[in-house]
Amino acid sequence: DGGITQSPKYLFRKEGQNVTLSCEQNLNHDAMYWYRQDPGQGLRLIYYSQIVNDFQKGDIAEGYSVSREKKESFPLTVTSAQKNPTAFYLCASSMSGGTHNEQFFGPGTRLTVL
Amino acid sequence: DQQVKQNSPSLSVQEGRISILNCDYTNSMFDYFLWYKKYPAEGPTFLISISSIKDKNEDGRFTVFLNKSAKHLSLHIVPSQPGDSAVYFCAATSGYALNFGKGTSLLVTP
């Protein structure tokens, strides 16, 4: 089955530690995205990648880093510099990075900083 | 600044009736609009989209209307079913990234 997988579903981290969230897709999509959702809020864009080995900052990139070494994978690292990392993180992909392409979302990872 | 606004946090509709969810946007460069449905602790699911060159798009029970002059779009669900109960997000884009509203929680009661 084609789709987007995110792991783990729930993640706990001690304050001051870096943590990496996994996102894998087998849809052969070129573009991938990371969003963050906070309670009562819409989704906000953290980073996006239109093609392998290229990525761009979104609206709230501070304290996060990404890599795009393979088309299928777009991991997100939440660093200790992120001031309020507890949130629901969603990964998405689309056929290409251009407009008029629907983005398809993974199931999400809930990160809690203790 | 929020470029996509969903001013109704919640909506309750009886089963079989029409649900109308509204969305306003401020950026005139947006040329593609989408609606997503989301259950708690899950990723959003794409529902329907519309290009700015159209004013209506229909897919089964779901119809999206776009009024460019008013910078307003709406999602109509007819007839509403209990399984439609979820949070609905409006999104708009002029390029790569989607700009989301804060969502409207729809409850369809039997």
Side-chain angles (χ1 to χ4, degrees), chain A residues 23 25 30-33 48-49 68 71-74 91-93:
Chain A
C23 177
Q25 55 97 0
D30 286 321
M32 297 186 74
Y33 312 79
Y48 66 97
S49 168
R68 187 88 187 278
K71 187 175 185 178
E72 304 79 21
S73 179
F74 190 40
C91 178
S93 70

Side-chain angles (χ1 to χ4, degrees), chain A residues 55-83:
Chain A
F55 49 82
Q56 310 293 331
K57 290 182 180 180
D59 299 322
I60 54 165
E62 185 175 349
Y64 299 97
S65 66
V66 293
S67 63
R68 187 88 187 278
E69 297 175 3
K70 297 187 299 182
K71 187 175 185 178
E72 304 79 21
S73 179
F74 190 40
L76 172 75
T77 297
V78 185
T79 75
S80 56
Q82 168 48 234
K83 303 242 183 292

Side-chain angles (χ1 to χ4, degrees), chain A:
Chain A
D1 273 18
I4 303 173
T5 56
Q6 291 185 244
S7 61
K9 190 163 179 66
Y10 299 95
L11 189 56
F12 297 88
R13 166 197 124 176
K14 289 184 180 177
E15 200 167 336
Q17 288 180 336
N18 291 358
V19 63
T20 298
L21 282 61
S22 165
C23 177
E24 304 276 333
Q25 55 97 0
N26 59 4
L27 300 166
N28 201 31
H29 284 172
D30 286 321
M32 297 186 74
Y33 312 79
W34 274 105
Y35 292 89
R36 166 184 172 140
Q37 187 188 17
D38 294 285
Q41 301 292 320
L43 282 65
R44 292 183 292 166
L45 182 68
I46 304 172
Y47 267 99
Y48 66 97
S49 168
Q50 297 166 245
I51 199 166
V52 174
N53 292 323
D54 182 64
F55 49 82
Q56 310 293 331
K57 290 182 180 180
D59 299 322
I60 54 165
E62 185 175 349
Y64 299 97
S65 66
V66 293
S67 63
R68 187 88 187 278
E69 297 175 3
K70 297 187 299 182
K71 187 175 185 178
E72 304 79 21
S73 179
F74 190 40
L76 172 75
T77 297
V78 185
T79 75
S80 56
Q82 168 48 234
K83 303 242 183 292
N84 188 16
T86 294
F88 188 50
Y89 290 87
L90 287 156
C91 178
S93 70
S94 63
M95 196 174 302
S96 72
T99 190
H100 296 206
N101 282 292
E102 290 83 11
Q103 293 182 18
F104 296 90
F105 285 82
T109 292
R110 180 163 298 282
L111 172 65
T112 302
V113 174
L114 304 171

Side-chain angles (χ1 to χ4, degrees), chain B residues 27-38:
Chain B
N27 189 340
S28 57
M29 297 300 292
F30 289 150
D31 62 355
Y32 194 59
F33 305 87
L34 308 91
W35 284 94
Y36 284 85
K37 176 181 179 180
K38 186 180 181 300

